[in-house]
Amino acid sequence: MSRSVRTRPEGSGRGLSEAYDTALLDLDGVVYAGGNAIAHAVESLATARAGGMRLAYVTNNALRTPDAVAAHLTELGIPTGATDVITSAQAVARLIAEQVPQGARVLVIGGEGLRVALRERGLEPVESAEDGPAAVVQGYGGPELPWGRFAEACYAIARGVPWYASNTDLTIPGARGIAPGNGAAVEVVRIATGAEPQVAGKPLPPMHRETILRTGARRPLVVGDRLDTDIEGAFNGEVDSLLVLTGVTDGAQLLAAPPQHRPTYVDADLRGLLAGQAEVTGDGDGGFRCGGWTATAGERLELEGDGEAMDGLRALCAAAWTAAGEGTCELDPGKALARLGL
Ligand SMILES: [Mg+2]
């Protein structure tokens, strides 16, 4: 299906929590960072929910069960039930259940979240390639996962057992730096076997389908911090998206985004769910206005005026994305972003 290329963020006269029925929220970098809630998250989510917006949490992390994630959110002051949490473990379990006989054994290379999700689909988690598995599934197993688990996966895959992965995020950012994620573990097995897994997690369709099936959302808004998972997943599912800048994406990356990574809206943090979104308009002279700012694309990206930083960023998005068309903008945004303190 061909779609028009997005060349600017959308405006919204109404708050997004009124314009959309369900928020599909990423967790890390959006709601919390490490163990702690991100600034403004708790109050903004409470206000959105009081106004009637359904909140669902969508995570590529397959290690923790929905119960454990819900308990963590509730402890942070965001009352959440297990049915409000959708994980890539659930998405991959559904994918497997559609492709193997009912009640089949599945070799698990991962943690409790995967085992619980498999049992929910009537599948039997097993530990060894000698247990006669009909599928191998690999999800993040935490830092204590023994190396020998990868060998079990390789033995089964070499016999032709189909291989699945909950997600392929290469890294997990933590308090001490960047740790290898499930994508890195999948690479180990890929290198050893030469095989290719079927993958469920964001930005791929199985995860989006799982989310829509479980929430019943009719007018969903994806809210995320990562362009290549959250925003690309929304693009693939043809759903609107809000990028928040509390996680891994900075202004320069947003301005250089190719079409599938361009969000519908951008805001600093989850307060963006409540506010209207200022509209970007052309100034008739090749520039783009938003709030008190005007952005242009010349030898580099330029910004004039003053006002709210996010309005300046929205104007710059329009200038950069229009200049890039279907490609990525390579103009230097450094001076313009510095004016915004970004
Ligand atoms: Mg995230």
Side-chain angles (χ1 to χ4, degrees), residues 118-155:
L118 291 169
R119 288 193 203 102
E120 190 191 35
R121 292 273 150 244
L123 300 166
E124 185 189 343
V126 297
E127 300 300 316
S128 165
E130 307 312 314
D131 292 333
V136 176
V137 63
Q138 197 172 359
Y140 182 61
E144 307 306 329
L145 188 79
W147 184 251
R149 305 298 301 144
F150 300 130
E152 294 301 323
C154 292
Y155 301 149

Side-chain angles (χ1 to χ4, degrees), residues 9-26:
E10 298 286 321
S12 176
R14 288 190 294 165
L16 299 181
S17 60
E18 288 175 46
Y20 295 87
D21 72 349
T22 307
L24 307 177
L25 294 135
D26 179 51

